[in-house]
Amino acid sequence: MQISDLPYPDPGVPDARSGPRFLLWLGRGQLGGQLKSLCWGMLHFSGVAGLPYAVGLGVDAVVDREPNRLLLVGALLLVIGVAISVGDAMLHRTAVTNWITAAARVQQLLARKTAELGSALTRRVAAGEVVAVSTGDVEKIGWFVEAVSRFLAAVFSVALVCVGLLFYAPELGVVVAIGVPLIALASLPLLPRATKRADIQREKAGKATELASDTVAGLRVLRGIGGEELFLGRYREASQEVRRAAVRSARMWALISAIQVVLPGALMITVVWYGATLVSDGRIAVGELVAAFSAVATLLYPLRHFEEIAMAYSFSRPSAKRAARVLSLTRTDGAARPARTGPVGAPAPGGDLYDPQTGLLAPAGRFTAVVCGDPDLAGRLAERLGGHPMDGDPASGGGPGSEPGAADGTPSVLLGGVALDELELDTARALVLVQDKDPVLLSGTLRELFDVPASGAVESAAALDAAQCTDVLDALLQSAPDGVEDPMDARITERGRSLSGGQRQRLALARSLVTDPEVLVLDEPTSAVDSHTEARIADGIAALRAGRTTVVLASSPLLLDRADRVVLIDGDTVAAVGTHRELLHGEPRYRAVVTRETDEEQRLGGLELTELEDVLTEIEESA
């Protein structure tokens, strides 16, 4: 595969049982590229290995005063030079291609797994580790994959030199044949310790990255409470630990590199001393000594690849282990599920959304509001309604695209009678869209933000109007460079940091409305806006989503009063169903959640409901 062919149409299903198995799977997936690199490497190293013998033949031709033979040796040297040059250039080209394609495959696999797991990923793996795997680890894995072919080519050249010397100068060839394997294996006893130190360094670097990520994410809060210096001090300490671990690791690798220099030097001295003795005794010719000396000198180059492959494997093995750990994650760790007999088609339009775990029913084409007594339950329920059950959720299935059914036998959420986790991932997410409490805005223009898969039935202008984004458009236009007249061409900064929390929330809501999914699940979509804006947003959602299934998890009376039906979930099950005002009058538990009544207020009769209704009416009229 060429770099121009990236990304892969399908990166495949990785063998994520362990780090070495994952590396082996990557290597098997690039056999064609590895063979190309190996062939070019053998051409290059064969030229390097043949150079000493050509030099030896040339010296013998000069000593024997044979000009014709010297011309032949010159032609041979020219051929060898071309082989070395062409082989080196193409080896580098194919090796880099192997590196990039392996790294790209791993990145695609990680991106696919991230999309599959969603928010469950960072609940299973620390954010710092996710960053380390998707950046530095990917590079190290690619390094090992591309180094394999060059190492095999180097092994071939070393064997070629040793065998050639045994035939060309047997006395010196025996010395080289014994010394080279010893040099190649001399570093092996040090590799476990070097690997261990490298693992410690990477572990500390991952913790420092996680600490930095947490500090940056909470920097505004830290400044507000005066804790900025405390956390910066912790990061400095973590950075120093990483530095000390890196120095310890570098010392060990420096020792290994020194061995790879000292031992070949000792072998070269031995060959020269012993060869000079043989020449003085007349047992070998001067050309044979020159060839043996040149052969040992050129062996320093391929022997470096022995050190490189050891370093590459030592660094890539833990990297591959971490990548395999992420790629092996699933929604649950439950028992095996029954095999699917065949593909499951999408349900017919107009089906109800039903959650067997809680008993929640969202009728098709209706605006359903859900009130949860437990705030954490709302987030878990939103995930489950989208077919993205959270890790640890007792009703978790495998998520869309996995085998149906939860580990404990509880069926997944049903849409039109079809389990969402029986559907392909893309199909399930096209049918049910979940907007969580903290939606992310990617950098780019507003037009690019709304360039999402959609039915086309909802225009961007209508969605922005329903989400009450007029002031957001004005703010973006004011901050845009001169010449930008359309707010849709104004740029949004990274994660929308130039906007307020309420503005980001409303833009995310408008983006969700534009997609016009069959089922839209909104988790606290108006928690960061004022009451008057919230009332208008509620009306906008109800109008724009008329005839479409909409589920809003909220406790705001303004949103609840616009819903066709309200469901109270208490203790992980449906406790009451009705309209907002019916539940406000007849259900104390609902009233306690919505009005924030204390136990004492409930005992004394709670708030005056007529006064509360008057407030709601007044807000409606003013909106």
Side-chain angles (χ1 to χ4, degrees):
M1 185 171 189
Q2 301 299 319
I3 296 177
S4 58
D5 298 328
L6 295 175
Y8 285 94
D10 179 11
V13 180
D15 185 350
R17 288 175 290 177
S18 65
R21 287 179 182 271
F22 180 58
L23 290 174
L24 180 61
W25 177 83
L26 280 176
R28 288 203 306 267
Q30 294 184 209
L31 284 179
Q34 295 285 0
L35 287 175
K36 288 181 181 178
S37 184
L38 177 60
C39 290
W40 288 115
M42 290 174 64
L43 176 64
H44 171 65
F45 284 111
S46 296
V48 173
L51 190 61
Y53 304 109
V55 172
L57 291 174
V59 172
D60 286 339
V62 172
V63 172
D64 296 339
R65 300 179 181 275
E66 298 182 5
N68 293 332
R69 198 169 79 181
L70 185 60
L71 288 175
L72 292 175
V73 171
L76 178 61
L77 286 173
L78 179 61
V79 172
I80 290 176
V82 172
I84 292 175
S85 300
V86 174
D88 187 29
M90 296 305 298
L91 172 62
H92 178 74
R93 179 186 178 90
T94 54
V96 170
T97 300
N98 289 336
W99 186 338
I100 294 176
T101 50
R105 186 190 294 270
V106 178
Q107 286 180 327
Q108 282 187 250
L109 291 170
L110 291 171
R112 186 174 68 182
K113 180 60 65 173
T114 301
E116 175 187 337
L117 295 177
S119 59
L121 175 61
T122 51
R123 288 191 292 270
R124 301 282 293 276
V125 183
E129 184 171 349
V130 175
V131 173
V133 170
S134 59
T135 53
D137 286 341
V138 168
E139 182 180 351
K140 293 182 179 66
I141 292 171
W143 176 27
F144 174 73
V145 171
E146 69 90 11
V148 169
S149 56
R150 289 190 288 109
F151 166 70
L152 293 177
V155 171
F156 171 78
S157 70
V158 169
L160 190 63
V161 168
C162 293
V163 173
L165 277 178
L166 286 174
F167 286 96
Y168 186 74
E171 294 87 348
L172 293 177
V174 172
V175 176
V176 174
I178 294 175
V180 167
L182 293 178
I183 294 172
L185 300 176
S187 302
L188 288 181
L190 299 177
L191 287 180
R193 184 175 297 180
T195 302
K196 183 179 179 180
R197 291 188 178 185
D199 290 345
I200 293 174
Q201 176 194 350
R202 281 186 290 272
E203 180 182 355
K204 291 184 179 296
K207 291 180 178 179
T209 303
E210 182 179 354
L211 179 59
S213 177
D214 291 342
T215 302
V216 171
L219 191 58
R220 181 177 299 179
V221 177
L222 291 175
R223 286 175 175 172
I225 63 176
E228 180 180 4
E229 285 301 323
L230 174 62
F231 275 79
L232 289 178
R234 291 180 181 177
Y235 180 70
R236 292 190 191 99
E237 182 179 350
S239 298
Q240 290 303 312
E241 290 183 4
V242 174
R243 182 188 63 80
R244 288 190 289 268
V247 170
R248 284 174 53 83
S249 177
R251 286 173 179 168
M252 185 57 65
W253 288 112
L255 177 59
I256 293 175
S257 298
I259 291 175
Q260 293 296 321
V261 173
V262 171
L263 292 185
L267 177 62
M268 187 177 299
I269 293 173
T270 302
V271 168
V272 171
W273 173 78
Y274 183 54
T277 303
L278 294 177
V279 170
S280 63
D281 294 341
R283 296 167 60 183
I284 63 173
V286 175
E288 293 177 336
L289 174 60
V290 172
F293 172 78
S294 301
V296 174
T298 55
L299 280 178
L300 293 178
Y301 172 53
L303 282 175
R304 291 176 189 164
H305 291 78
F306 286 70
E307 177 191 355
E308 182 191 11
I309 195 66
M311 292 182 65
Y313 181 73
S314 298
F315 279 96
S316 65
R317 183 185 56 80
S319 296
K321 181 179 179 181
R322 283 198 293 268
R325 176 171 176 257
V326 174
L327 294 174
S328 64
L329 293 177
T330 58
R331 282 288 174 180
T332 60
D333 297 323
R337 303 180 178 93
R340 184 180 300 161
T341 56
V344 178
D352 297 338
L353 185 69
Y354 176 66
D355 177 25
Q357 175 68 14
T358 60
L360 170 65
L361 174 66
R366 304 284 297 279
F367 184 175
T368 302
V370 181
V371 177
C372 298
D374 179 7
D376 293 334
L377 174 61
R380 297 197 301 270
L381 180 59
E383 292 274 353
R384 195 161 64 243
L385 290 178
H388 319 147
M390 295 171 63
D391 180 53
D393 190 346
S396 292
S402 68
E403 301 302 336
D408 62 355
T410 304
S412 75
V413 171
L414 306 177
L415 177 61
V418 177
L420 285 180
D421 62 7
E422 291 184 2
L423 300 173
E424 293 297 329
L425 184 65
D426 293 342
T427 303
R429 291 187 174 174
L431 292 171
V432 183
L433 174 65
V434 178
Q435 178 179 306
D436 58 21
K437 293 180 181 179
D438 301 308
V440 175
L441 300 181
L442 302 179
S443 60
T445 65
L446 193 57
R447 196 181 307 279
E448 292 171 340
L449 177 69
F450 284 90
D451 186 17
V452 292
S455 67
V458 178
E459 298 292 336
S460 299
L464 289 166
D465 184 61
Q468 299 298 305
C469 293
T470 304
D471 63 315
V472 185
L473 299 179
D474 293 339
L476 289 173
L477 199 55
Q478 290 176 4
S479 61
D482 294 338
V484 177
E485 298 180 355
D486 189 347
M488 296 299 291
D489 295 325
R491 294 194 64 82
I492 301 172
T493 57
E494 180 187 2
R495 300 181 67 90
R497 297 187 186 278
S498 61
L499 303 173
S500 67
Q503 290 174 328
R504 290 196 299 269
Q505 193 175 59
R506 282 178 283 160
L507 278 181
L509 174 59
R511 179 181 58 188
S512 298
L513 293 173
V514 163
T515 62
D516 188 38
E518 182 174 337
V519 179
L520 177 60
V521 180
L522 304 172
D523 186 7
E524 294 287 358
T526 58
S527 58
V529 300
D530 60 81
S531 58
H532 292 284
T533 304
E534 185 176 28
R536 291 193 293 268
I537 290 175
D539 290 334
I541 294 175
L544 200 61
R545 293 287 300 172
R548 307 287 273 172
T549 307
T550 306
V551 180
V552 177
L553 293 97
S555 58
S556 167
L558 295 171
L559 273 174
L560 300 174
D561 197 43
R562 267 60 170 191
D564 297 325
R565 66 198 304 267
V566 180
V567 180
L568 171 65
I569 296 182
D570 186 52
D572 292 338
T573 58
V574 172
V577 180
T579 65
H580 168 61
R581 302 194 185 215
E582 289 172 353
L583 295 177
L584 202 60
H585 280 286
E587 181 53 63
R589 289 174 294 180
Y590 178 82
R591 185 167 60 248
V593 175
V594 173
T595 65
R596 274 61 169 185
E597 282 184 353
T598 64
D599 293 339
E600 182 65 17
E601 287 171 335
Q602 291 186 56
R603 188 180 67 82
L604 295 175
L607 298 174
E608 291 292 338
L609 298 180
T610 55
E611 294 181 3
L612 180 58
E613 292 177 353
D614 291 341
V615 172
L616 290 174
T617 303
E618 181 181 347
I619 293 176
E620 290 175 3
E621 294 174 350
S622 62

